[in-house]
Amino acid sequence: MGYDFKSAEKKWQDKWEEAGVFHAEDCSEKPKFYGLVEFPYPSGAGMHVGHIKAYSGLEVVSRKRRMQGYNVLFPIGFDAYGLPTENYAIKTGIHPRKVTDMNIEKFSSQLKRVGFSFDWTRVIDTTQENYYKWTQWIFLKMFEKGLAFRDKTLVNYCPSCKVVLSNEDSQGGKCDICHSDIVQKSKDVWYLRITEYADKLLEGLNGLDYLPNVILQQKNWIGKSTGAFVDFDVKGSDDEKLRIYTTRPDTLFGVTFMVIAPEHPIIDKYADRIANMDAVEGYRKECAKKTEFERTQLVKDKTGVRIDGLSGINPVNGKEIPIYISDYVMMGYGTGAIMAVPAHDERDYDFAKKFGIDIIEVLKGGDIEKEAYTGEGEHVNSEFLNGLNKADAIEKIIEFLAEKGIGEKGVQYKMKDWAFNRQRYWGEPIPIVHCEHCGMVAVPYEELPLKLPKVENFAPGSDGESPLAKIDSYVNCTCPKCGAPAKRETDTMPQWAGSSWYYLRYIDPNNDKAFADREKLNYWGRVDWYNGGMEHVTRHMIYSRFWHKFLYDLGEVPYDEPYAKRTAQGLILGPDGEKMSKSKGNVVDPNEVVDEYGADVLRTYVLFMGDYEKAAPWSKSSVKGCKRFIDRVWGLQDILVDGDTYSKELESSIHKTIKKVTEDIENMKFNTAIAAMMTLLNVIYDNGKINKAELKAFITILNPFAPHVTEEMWEKNNFGGMLANGKWVDFDEAKCVDDEIEIVVQINGKVKTKLMVAADIEADEAIAIAKADEVIAAAIAGKNVVKELYVKGRLVNIVAK
RNA sequence: GCGGAUAUGGCGGAAUUGGCAGACGCGUUAGAUUUAGGAUCUAAUAUCAACAGAUGUGCAGGUUCAAGUCCUGUUAUCCGCACCA
């Protein structure tokens, strides 16, 4: 009788749910394991095979850990605020609430069909009042501490969609949605002062078990650099100081010009003294027209205009140097002004060559006739720095600058403050009231959640205002402080908000007194293992680490980093080797796979298809290989015999496989774990029979991968209880080795023959046996044996000339 | 441009960390079974060669008794950052 996955899978999913076997127990005596996967955005398209792979990894780890006696928290939820839902709602007229509920329903049933061992009693939805109440609560705490603030910014605005767009949605200066030209618009928006945590976020990385690549990407994102600020006097101004930032203050003697960003305020301030203001203005207009893409493209061909009327004075030698404006200097980094050292900076070099500016070498080691020398070297032409190396020179010059009061040590970050706003409906309302008398006032904590009002028209308003701005009953309120009529903030929070603290809510999802109970926080502690996509390791992870560190500083959480370990799965590519996309028509629907082959096959395949951390193309025929594997496992019941200990024939194979699977799962080497079980299966069929003890062990280690078929077999053979509640099997290291082993005999490193010998054979004996072999004897006859080696358990190598 | 990673049969990928290259799976070929197809089972399957044997882990060198693995150089692909001073 074949295995009927259709009925068995449904049956066991229901039984597991009924018995609550995957419910995590708060504050239990058992050791805890908190495994976290990135909760999905419930899109209308339904689940993707990528989700299955992303969740299957920690699913296997979680099921195994449960069987090993851990109290496992393996939760799931939905990150449901966001634009796609809202856009769909606008298009169809169905309310986003309804769309979200439908999509969550769809995702939930799909996830359940795959048999994931999530604790469904803890499911969260970021759009529910009892969840976003605490998102707002955290925001207000930040507001209280001055970390949430408002500031003017130039935003990308699409006049056609009437919406403010992120940089990602406005690439190339065109709106991603309607492709009209984006205009820059000044607007007051909310920011979170994440830069205040830049150092903590950087230092925190040290003790964490993240993939090296993840650490690197986070470091790059934070982008810390150390250097110095230096003030240059400006000739032609009223005693104006032009402050620059540099990482190489030691090259100050090589400065031959300065460059400021086109937006630099000094231009407007002294506009009447700049003789060529027309040219300067013309250049600035030209830059403003350039899209971000254009501005980053032309690396070699520098453009710029000299400011006629203002010049800089090099503070170390009093030399007068020209000042240029050029768009290779950005207003958003450092001070928007640089000192240019063409001899030792490629950009400055290109610029100097183009504009015919002097190039003065201050570091030995390169040939500045040909190109800028950016390496290290001894200082020359630098007065008191001459002869010093880079580190010493930097130290000395900073000392000098500080003494003279013309500069100081400085640190810069690439990371900017987090623009925390959306002019959209489907997001968490920002709980702030604007009062004419009191300014910005927080909605009192006891009034949270500030509910997102139900509206009929959730399309964005004109002029980039949030749809909430049109609802008078929402906007008009009284000031919580003075009681005067006031207006509510109408921006909502960005998508990233809800996901910045969701791992904390799983710990105590229904608490209405706090975001999570302190005792439970103490018990569950950090997420032990967080798996997700590489695309989320910078923004999402840094944002949530920031929120967590903020809560830690507030004393609201008992540990300072949210995630102890972070891994990432590789993409599943389409069968054509291309990234899956609807437009390419190469998307694989997990539902169809479950329909055709069953959930166990789908789960096994996504883990078997290749290295978990690498991208691999989907192969329809390889899926069939996993189907065969599952069917052959079921077929073991046809050759089942009695026996309550491992048989001599299979004992070492079973121990070896248990060892391999046990270790591989922890290292996310799921593909080789499955391969090892396939190998064992082949060994068993070669053996012709399997006894009950052996079958128990086999289906136990297979259970995390293929829980349904193994559970069905467990029941059918009356092994007792439910396998999901079962105990993991141990292996005995001593029994993983065979008595007799095959060794290879090489002559001059080439394999000549293979011999069976006792596993504990000594070198002398092994070599003697090898030399006694007729093939070897013949090969070395008449030759001079130079060297004889025995590598334990592996080979004998005889070097003969 | 900078940083990181990868490169192994027809395909996805293994390789105890310097010790039999190609585990496991797919595909292919032959056979069995079947009215047929499908499914299943058995065997073969890196390349060249009838065999002996030789060659073989992107390419070129090197170290070693022994190299996919270590060293030097080089090429290609992918990812991240990108005029960050």
Side-chain angles (χ1 to χ4, degrees):
Chain A
M1 247 270 289
Y3 167 56
D4 177 13
F5 68 82
K6 284 214 159 88
S7 60
E9 290 185 349
K10 180 80 177 79
K11 167 181 150 190
W12 287 106
Q13 285 157 15
D14 291 345
K15 285 202 175 196
W16 294 327
E17 183 151 2
E18 210 175 285
V21 287
F22 306 128
H23 296 176
E25 188 191 340
D26 291 320
C27 309
S28 106
E29 293 292 303
K30 293 179 182 174
K32 67 100 183 180
F33 174 73
Y34 184 178
L36 181 69
V37 292
E38 288 171 348
F39 61 165
Y41 177 77
S43 69
M47 293 238 298
H48 186 272
V49 279
H51 288 112
I52 308 294
K53 185 174 174 187
Y55 304 154
S56 292
L58 283 189
E59 155 76 357
V60 167
V61 173
S62 294
R63 281 195 182 253
K64 172 185 167 249
R65 293 276 181 110
R66 254 182 230 109
M67 293 171 104
Q68 286 179 316
Y70 284 85
N71 178 31
V72 172
L73 174 55
F74 186 48
I76 191 71
F78 299 94
D79 186 15
Y81 273 132
L83 268 183
T85 298
E86 187 167 341
N87 288 342
Y88 180 81
I90 291 167
K91 212 167 78 189
T92 60
I94 308 171
H95 195 277
R97 173 74 268 155
K98 207 166 171 192
V99 176
T100 299
D101 289 342
M102 278 167 11
N103 289 347
I104 286 180
E105 182 54 38
K106 187 169 178 180
F107 265 66
S108 298
S109 73
Q110 289 186 351
L111 286 165
K112 285 178 182 173
R113 277 194 80 196
V114 184
F116 288 126
S117 64
F118 294 126
D119 180 349
W120 286 98
T121 64
R122 291 175 188 253
V123 70
I124 57 177
D125 165 358
T126 56
T127 66
Q128 294 296 340
E129 287 167 11
N130 70 353
Y131 184 89
Y132 73 71
K133 169 180 177 178
W134 300 105
T135 312
Q136 292 175 332
W137 184 90
I138 297 169
F139 176 86
L140 286 185
K141 289 286 175 190
M142 290 201 166
F143 179 69
E144 233 171 62
K145 296 286 172 190
L147 288 176
F149 64 100
R150 263 162 88 85
D151 197 8
K152 281 222 181 306
T153 187
L154 285 176
V155 293
N156 304 306
Y157 179 72
C158 171
S160 163
C161 298
K162 292 175 179 157
V163 68
V164 176
L165 295 162
S166 65
N167 285 335
E168 290 75 28
D169 289 332
S170 51
Q171 283 184 3
K174 302 273 184 201
C175 171
D176 222 28
I177 302 155
C178 71
H179 306 287
S180 355
D181 283 337
I182 297 291
V183 297
Q184 300 283 305
K185 217 177 143 169
S186 179
K187 193 174 178 357
D188 253 343
V189 295
W190 286 95
Y191 285 94
L192 296 186
R193 209 180 299 278
I194 190 171
T195 48
E196 195 163 310
Y197 276 75
D199 260 322
K200 281 187 179 174
L201 289 167
L202 195 61
E203 279 157 26
L205 288 171
N206 288 328
L208 298 173
D209 183 15
Y210 288 6
L211 288 178
N213 202 17
V214 172
I215 297 213
L216 190 76
Q217 282 197 31
Q218 293 202 9
K219 278 187 179 165
N220 286 344
W221 176 267
I222 296 165
K224 182 178 182 172
S225 86
T226 55
F229 292 107
V230 186
D231 294 322
F232 282 64
D233 285 329
V234 179
K235 195 176 163 191
S237 75
D238 304 328
D239 221 7
E240 185 82 24
K241 306 269 187 209
L242 186 50
R243 170 158 272 222
I244 61 96
Y245 174 73
T246 178
T247 54
R248 296 298 302 272
D250 57 312
T251 60
L252 251 169
F253 289 93
V255 174
T256 54
F257 60 104
M258 299 178 83
V259 186
I260 59 175
E263 303 86 2
H264 200 285
I266 198 171
I267 299 169
D268 288 326
K269 190 166 175 189
Y270 292 100
D272 54 342
R273 303 198 199 167
I274 297 173
N276 60 340
M277 197 55 198
D278 285 352
V280 171
E281 270 304 338
Y283 184 74
R284 293 173 85 184
K285 285 218 177 81
E286 215 174 283
C287 294
K289 267 197 299 193
K290 277 190 192 175
T291 63
E292 211 171 318
F293 181 73
E294 283 170 327
R295 220 175 140 160
T296 53
Q297 266 320 80
L298 304 167
V299 179
K300 277 282 168 194
D301 191 23
K302 296 281 181 287
T303 60
V305 174
R306 180 171 175 174
I307 298 174
D308 199 354
L310 298 177
S311 52
I313 304 296
N314 188 335
V316 290
N317 56 18
K319 274 191 197 163
E320 186 176 337
I321 50 176
I323 301 174
Y324 290 80
I325 64 168
S326 174
D327 63 357
Y328 82 90
V329 174
M330 308 288 153
M331 201 55 224
Y333 183 80
T335 61
I338 63 158
M339 61 178 220
V341 186
H344 305 291
D345 181 282
E346 282 171 31
R347 295 152 303 177
D348 298 347
Y349 189 88
D350 295 338
F351 194 89
K353 279 285 177 195
K354 177 151 181 184
F355 288 86
I357 308 168
D358 290 346
I359 298 172
I360 299 171
E361 181 178 52
V362 290
L363 282 170
K364 278 209 281 198
D367 179 3
I368 60 157
E369 293 299 316
K370 287 202 204 109
E371 57 183 3
Y373 175 66
T374 55
E376 301 210 9
E378 195 183 309
H379 284 74
V380 293
N381 303 326
S382 298
E383 299 180 15
F384 56 90
L385 298 179
N386 284 341
L388 295 178
N389 66 18
K390 179 179 166 185
D392 292 342
I394 289 178
E395 198 178 319
K396 192 153 182 183
I397 190 77
I398 287 177
E399 224 169 79
F400 174 85
L401 293 170
E403 222 168 79
K404 300 267 176 184
I406 48 176
E408 66 205 24
K409 204 168 179 170
V411 173
Q412 284 292 308
Y413 300 93
K414 285 188 206 174
M415 187 167 70
K416 305 272 192 335
D417 279 326
W418 175 6
F420 195 77
N421 59 89
R422 286 294 131 94
Q423 290 67 40
R424 282 292 194 148
Y425 172 70
W426 197 231
E428 300 88 345
I430 290 179
I432 295 289
V433 169
H434 298 278
C435 170
E436 264 181 45
H437 314 287
C438 313
M440 289 189 289
V441 181
V443 170
Y445 288 109
E446 55 277 13
E447 286 177 26
L448 296 182
L450 170 62
K451 294 184 189 175
L452 183 64
K454 278 246 171 196
V455 293
E456 291 311 315
N457 180 12
F458 25 79
S462 56
D463 292 339
E465 289 303 322
S466 157
L468 297 180
K470 285 180 297 193
I471 309 166
D472 291 344
S473 61
Y474 179 78
V475 174
N476 295 318
C477 60
T478 53
C479 171
K481 216 183 213 168
C482 71
K487 298 222 182 275
R488 272 190 207 288
E489 171 62 51
T490 57
D491 278 8
T492 51
M493 299 187 196
Q495 272 114 322
W496 308 99
S499 60
S500 289
W501 70 282
Y502 74 116
Y503 58 94
L504 291 171
R505 190 60 176 173
Y506 284 135
I507 286 172
D508 198 4
N510 301 311
N511 194 328
D512 57 6
K513 304 273 187 308
F515 62 84
D517 176 72
R518 185 57 181 235
E519 202 184 322
K520 293 179 188 175
L521 283 168
N522 281 333
Y523 173 75
W524 286 110
R526 290 180 183 184
V527 170
D528 293 290
W529 192 340
Y530 189 17
N531 184 71
M534 269 320 279
E535 68 274 22
H536 291 129
V537 303
T538 47
R539 300 188 77 178
H540 159 62
M541 280 191 79
I542 290 179
Y543 290 158
S544 76
R545 288 182 58 226
F546 161 50
W547 278 39
H548 190 95
K549 283 181 176 295
F550 169 72
L551 290 172
Y552 175 74
D553 287 347
L554 233 49
E556 295 288 346
V557 290
Y559 44 97
D560 71 345
E561 281 284 344
Y563 317 116
K565 171 173 180 160
R566 169 73 187 201
T567 52
Q569 77 281 350
L571 285 178
I572 297 183
L573 306 172
D576 52 0
E578 299 286 321
K579 199 171 163 177
M580 281 192 193
S581 75
K582 266 183 236 150
S583 59
K584 289 202 196 90
N586 59 354
V587 178
V588 177
D589 179 358
N591 265 308
E592 289 173 16
V593 183
V594 175
D595 285 342
E596 197 171 349
Y597 301 106
D600 287 339
V601 172
L602 174 64
R603 296 163 57 113
T604 308
Y605 176 65
V606 296
L607 295 178
F608 180 65
M609 62 194 296
D611 185 332
Y612 188 69
E613 292 176 7
K614 290 202 194 113
W618 184 270
S619 159
K620 218 171 149 49
S621 55
S622 284
V623 179
K624 278 194 250 167
C626 289
K627 168 73 175 157
R628 271 179 215 143
F629 171 60
I630 298 296
D631 286 342
R632 268 158 59 82
V633 170
W634 180 258
L636 285 175
Q637 296 172 119
D638 297 337
I639 55 167
L640 184 61
V641 298
D642 276 335
D644 46 21
T645 56
Y646 302 154
S647 68
K648 210 168 167 43
E649 294 78 26
L650 295 179
E651 186 179 47
S652 80
S653 293
I654 287 177
H655 280 286
K656 272 189 238 175
T657 309
I658 296 169
K659 177 178 155 78
K660 178 86 179 145
V661 172
T662 304
E663 292 171 356
D664 279 358
I665 288 174
E666 293 300 320
N667 295 321
M668 296 203 124
K669 305 204 77 177
F670 306 113
N671 55 337
T672 50
I674 294 166
M677 290 187 282
M678 289 174 167
T679 305
L680 177 61
L681 188 66
N682 291 340
V683 170
I684 293 168
Y685 274 108
D686 283 347
N687 184 56
K689 61 178 191 240
I690 182 170
N691 72 29
K692 287 192 174 169
E694 292 156 355
L695 184 66
K696 269 188 178 179
F698 189 94
I699 62 180
T700 300
I701 57 173
L702 179 60
N703 175 263
F705 299 86
H708 309 89
V709 67
T710 49
E711 195 78 75
E712 183 72 9
M713 289 171 76
W714 191 268
E715 184 194 53
K716 200 159 165 269
N717 292 287
N718 300 311
F719 287 160
M722 211 183 260
L723 185 50
N725 277 326
K727 222 176 143 301
W728 191 249
V729 281
D730 296 321
F731 60 91
D732 182 347
E733 193 81 49
K735 289 183 176 151
C736 290
V737 290
D738 297 297
D739 300 339
E740 265 215 323
I741 52 165
E742 188 186 63
I743 61 164
V744 164
V745 184
Q746 300 177 330
I747 291 177
N748 300 334
K750 304 238 175 205
V751 179
K752 290 294 166 189
T753 190
K754 293 169 188 182
L755 298 173
M756 292 303 292
V757 299
D760 55 357
I761 195 167
E762 293 298 323
D764 295 351
E765 204 186 336
I767 291 164
I769 292 172
K771 282 161 90 176
D773 183 84
E774 57 184 65
V775 176
I776 302 302
I780 59 174
K783 285 187 182 159
N784 183 21
V785 174
V786 182
K787 205 168 187 176
E788 298 165 334
L789 296 121
Y790 173 64
V791 181
K792 193 163 167 39
R794 304 249 173 261
L795 55 76
V796 168
N797 188 14
I798 297 168
V799 185
K801 281 182 183 158

